[in-house]
Amino acid sequence: MDVLKKVPVREQNAKERACNFEEVCLGYNIDEAREEASRCINCKNAQCIKGCPVSINIPGFIEKVKDGDIEGAYKVLSESSSLPAVCGRVCPQESQCEGKCIRGIKGDPISIGKLERFVADWAAENGVKPAAPAEKNGKKVAVIGSGPAGLSCAGDLAKLGYDVTIFEALHEAGGVLVYGIPEFRLPKETVVKREIENVKSLGVKIETNVVVGKSVTIDSLIEDEGFDAVFIGSGAGLPKFMGIPGENANGVFSANEYLTRSNLMKAFKSDSTTPIMESKKVAVVGGGNVAMDAARTALRLGAEVHIVYRRSEEELPARVEEVHHAKEEGIIFDLLTNPVEIIEDENGWVKGIKCVKMELGEPDESGRRRPVEVKGSEFITEVDTVIMALGTSPNPLISSTTEGLEVNKWKCIVAEEENGATSREGVYAGGDAVTGAATVILAMGAGRAGAKGIDEYLRGKN
C-alpha cells in the first residue's frame, strides 16, 4: 500500500452514466474504507477539524473506521452533523477539511468525505440511528425551511430537549437537497429522505406546504402559536438573470426552475406531469456547481450541452470533481465567452445565443482577474435552450412581513455569524437567507450556530 496515494473510489463508467440518473460515485466498501482510514496519522493539532464548518471530530471518527468500529464512527459523526451522508457526497472537502489535511502536504489528503459517506451509508444499512435526544425542556422553537441550515438547527435543538417544528413551503422536505442537487450526485430516496427521517427520529416535526409570510408570519408564530424562538433557514431560491435582450424567450430557464422540474418533480421520467422540453442543443451560462448540475442533467436528457463561462478554467467556481465528471461525460466548455443576446425565432422560441470572446485583465475585488471583452469578437451559436446559472438571492417575502427584521441591500437577512442573532429579539437566521447562495456545509454550520444562539438566549430568559 502506498500511504501517499488515496484508495481509489469506484465510479460508474462515464459513457454509461451520461445516459442515466443513477449515482456516479459508488463509494468505498469496508475494506477500502479501512485501508484509506489507515493512511490518517491522527495529528494532535488536527487542522482538518479547523477546516470543517460543523467542527466534526474527523481524526476521532477515522480512528474508529481504522479499527473496524463503524457504529462508533457514526456516533462520533452524529455529535456534530445531522446530515453525514449528504455532506460526504456534496461538500467541497478539497477546500475545507481535506484542503487542510497534513497528509496532503507530501501526498494525497485523506478522503475524508468518502469515509464520512461510507460510515453514514453503513449506519443506514445496519439500522443505526443518532443518539436519543435529551428530555424535553418545555420550550418551543420554530424553524423556517427544511434545507441544510434548518435541518441542522432543528437536529441540534432537539438533542438539547427543545420541541422543534420545521415549516417548509414546498410539498416535500429537504430544501435545496431535494430540488437543487441532481439524483446522480445525491439520491433522494436512499440518502436525503433517510437523513430527514433521522432528524425526525430526534422528535422534530415537519409541516409542509406552509409559506411563512403568507400562510403564517413570524409574528403569529411567536404571538399566537407560542413559539419561544424562531430560526430562519429559508435559503435563497430567487434566481438571477443577466438582463440581456431575449431572456424572456421560450426556452430560457433559470437553473433553479430546470433543476426543480427534474429533481423534485421527476421531469426526467417519461410519465412526468411536469416535463422539461426536449432540447437538442443547450447553453448553460455560468461556471459554478449549479451550472455543472444543470449541464449534466440536460446531457442526460439527450442534449448536446455547452457551458458558457466568461473566465478561464482556472477561475471556475465549481468543484474540481464536478468539472472533471462533466468533461468525462461530454460537456463542452466554451470558456472566456460571454452572452450578450438571446436570439429568438418568429414564434418567440430560442434559436441561438450571441456571445463575445473575453480576455482576463486586472484582478477585481474578489481577487479573480476581471474579464474584458475582445472588440469585434461577436459570434452566434445555434441553440434551442438556454439555462441561466448565475446564482440566487433570498426571496424577500419573510423579511418584508416581519416587523423589525433588518436586511442588507441584497435583501439578505442581517445576522450575527457566531450565533445567528438578528435585529429582532428571539429571531435567528442562517444559511443562504443570510449569506446568499453558498454551500450545503456552510448552511449547516450556520444552522448549528443558530441552534447554539437560541439555546443561550432561552437559557438566559429562565
Side-chain angles (χ1 to χ4, degrees):
M1 173 187 171
D2 185 352
V3 296
L4 298 181
K5 294 288 186 183
K6 289 181 176 181
V7 174
V9 180
R10 290 163 292 117
E11 296 178 343
Q12 270 201 79
N13 174 273
K15 285 187 178 179
E16 292 176 4
R17 71 181 189 239
C19 301
N20 67 56
F21 279 81
E22 294 168 17
E23 192 169 12
V24 169
C25 179
L26 304 177
Y28 286 143
N29 60 33
I30 191 165
D31 293 331
E32 293 164 338
R34 292 187 69 182
E35 184 178 347
E36 179 62 19
S38 71
R39 296 179 57 238
C40 178
I41 56 178
N42 201 9
C43 308
K44 289 184 179 177
N45 182 20
Q47 297 300 305
C48 53
I49 298 177
K50 297 176 183 177
C52 175
V54 296
S55 302
I56 290 170
N57 179 1
I58 293 168
F61 99 79
I62 290 179
E63 189 68 20
K64 296 285 188 184
V65 174
K66 191 187 303 185
D67 294 340
D69 181 8
I70 313 305
E71 183 171 350
Y74 181 70
K75 287 177 180 176
V76 174
L77 277 176
S78 297
E79 289 170 4
S80 303
S81 176
S82 296
L83 307 169
V86 170
C87 291
R89 287 168 164 84
V90 303
C91 282
Q93 290 97 3
E94 67 276 5
S95 62
Q96 293 177 341
C97 54
E98 293 180 19
K100 293 187 179 297
C101 176
I102 299 300
R103 174 61 83 187
I105 295 174
K106 292 185 178 179
D108 293 340
I110 305 302
S111 291
I112 298 168
K114 298 298 188 289
L115 290 174
E116 181 180 17
R117 166 195 165 141
F118 165 76
V119 171
D121 288 355
W122 182 96
E125 290 162 10
N126 289 274
V128 179
K129 293 284 186 183
E135 289 184 18
K136 296 291 185 184
N137 59 22
K139 299 287 186 180
K140 288 174 60 179
V141 180
V143 173
I144 301 169
S146 64
L151 290 169
S152 293
C153 182
D156 276 15
L157 287 170
K159 290 173 187 174
L160 293 169
Y162 290 93
D163 183 352
V164 185
T165 303
I166 296 176
F167 296 97
E168 167 57 47
L170 295 177
H171 64 282
E172 196 168 316
V176 69
L177 304 176
V178 294
Y179 73 72
I181 303 176
E183 286 279 334
F184 53 81
R185 277 219 294 142
L186 186 64
K188 309 304 170 230
E189 291 290 333
T190 57
V191 177
V192 177
K193 285 189 176 179
R194 82 176 185 221
E195 296 277 73
I196 292 170
E197 287 302 314
N198 282 343
V199 173
K200 289 169 70 176
S201 75
L202 298 172
V204 174
K205 298 180 285 292
I206 301 178
E207 294 188 20
T208 56
N209 298 309
V210 180
V211 181
V212 176
K214 289 282 189 184
S215 309
V216 295
T217 63
I218 287 176
D219 294 322
S220 68
L221 288 172
I222 295 172
E223 295 165 12
D224 302 331
E225 299 196 31
F227 285 97
D228 298 288
V230 176
F231 177 80
I232 304 170
S234 51
L238 194 63
K240 296 178 181 177
F241 288 87
M242 294 186 71
I244 60 176
E247 275 188 320
N248 291 326
N250 297 317
V252 178
F253 294 86
S254 69
N256 200 14
E257 178 189 355
Y258 195 84
L259 290 170
T260 299
R261 281 176 177 264
S262 178
N263 301 333
L264 183 63
M265 309 305 293
K266 311 301 181 191
F268 61 87
K269 293 184 176 179
S270 58
D271 60 350
S272 172
T273 56
T274 58
I276 302 176
M277 63 182 289
E278 293 184 9
S279 306
K280 293 181 179 176
K281 190 171 180 181
V282 175
V284 178
V285 182
N289 290 327
V290 174
M292 301 303 142
D293 286 345
R296 296 171 69 196
T297 296
L299 180 82
R300 284 159 170 76
L301 292 170
E304 175 187 314
V305 185
H306 293 245
I307 291 277
V308 180
Y309 182 60
R310 63 184 185 149
R311 289 183 164 97
S312 69
E313 182 167 348
E314 196 172 305
E315 287 80 28
L316 279 168
R319 291 184 68 190
V320 172
E321 182 179 60
E322 299 309 314
V323 175
H324 170 70
H325 282 156
K327 285 183 173 180
E328 275 191 330
E329 291 165 7
I331 304 292
I332 300 161
F333 284 72
D334 297 336
L335 302 172
L336 292 169
T337 302
N338 197 43
V340 293
E341 183 181 352
I342 296 167
I343 312 298
E344 304 175 51
D345 66 16
E346 62 277 8
N347 297 314
W349 287 87
V350 173
K351 71 172 185 179
I353 186 167
K354 183 187 288 185
C355 299
V356 293
K357 298 303 292 181
M358 310 293 283
E359 59 187 10
L360 296 179
E362 295 300 312
D364 61 16
E365 60 275 5
S366 71
R368 295 183 298 173
R369 293 172 64 192
R370 187 187 302 275
V372 180
E373 182 180 332
V374 177
K375 300 255 185 239
S377 63
E378 282 190 0
F379 65 97
I380 294 174
T381 299
E382 289 187 9
V383 297
D384 58 9
T385 306
V386 177
I387 301 171
M388 293 292 183
L390 304 168
T392 54
S393 59
N395 189 317
L397 179 61
I398 291 174
S399 58
S400 65
T401 58
T402 305
E403 201 70 41
L405 193 62
E406 184 184 351
V407 296
N408 62 22
K409 63 181 180 180
W410 297 285
K411 304 298 183 187
C412 294
I413 297 167
V414 176
E416 300 289 337
E417 185 176 349
E418 66 273 11
N419 63 8
T422 70
S423 56
R424 171 77 181 271
E425 184 182 350
V427 177
Y428 292 72
D432 292 2
V434 171
T435 61
T439 62
V440 167
I441 190 64
L442 288 175
M444 288 178 62
R448 297 204 74 202
K452 181 173 179 287
I454 289 170
D455 182 48
E456 290 171 351
Y457 164 71
L458 292 177
R459 285 181 187 275
K461 289 188 73 177
N462 287 342

